[in-house]
Amino acid sequence: AGGELKIRVSDQTLTHQVAATATAEQFEEFTAGSVIFDKGDTELSAEVGSSHGQNELMRLNRILLKKLQ
């Protein structure tokens, strides 16, 4: 596994290089970056940008958003 993860919020895109872990059940936290949310409803999506293997890129366990001042 391993490759590129793309996180999109409105017209903003964050990319993160995902490193392979020893097993598919091993999760690692990482900071992908920051985005600005407009008021109102906003769609967030995560997708594979590229993958370095025939298997899955990663098992996405959660996306945690933190408000910055």
Side-chain angles (χ1 to χ4, degrees):
E4 181 183 73
L5 172 69
K6 290 187 177 186
I7 300 172
R8 298 184 196 274
V9 176
S10 300
D11 62 347
Q12 304 164 83
T13 303
L14 300 173
T15 58
H16 179 77
Q17 293 300 315
V18 177
T21 56
T23 68
E25 288 76 30
Q26 180 180 354
F27 297 97
E28 293 188 8
E29 291 184 7
F30 59 86
T31 300
S34 60
V35 294
I36 296 173
F37 285 84
D38 294 327
K39 290 183 179 181
D41 293 341
T42 301
E43 183 173 319
L44 181 145
S45 66
E47 61 189 49
V48 175
S50 63
S51 179
H52 299 305
Q54 296 179 0
N55 296 327
E56 61 197 12
L57 170 64
M58 62 186 292
R59 292 187 181 174
L60 184 60
N61 183 270
R62 72 180 61 119
I63 296 176
L64 176 64
L65 303 175
K66 293 183 180 182
K67 183 177 180 178
L68 303 176
Q69 297 299 331

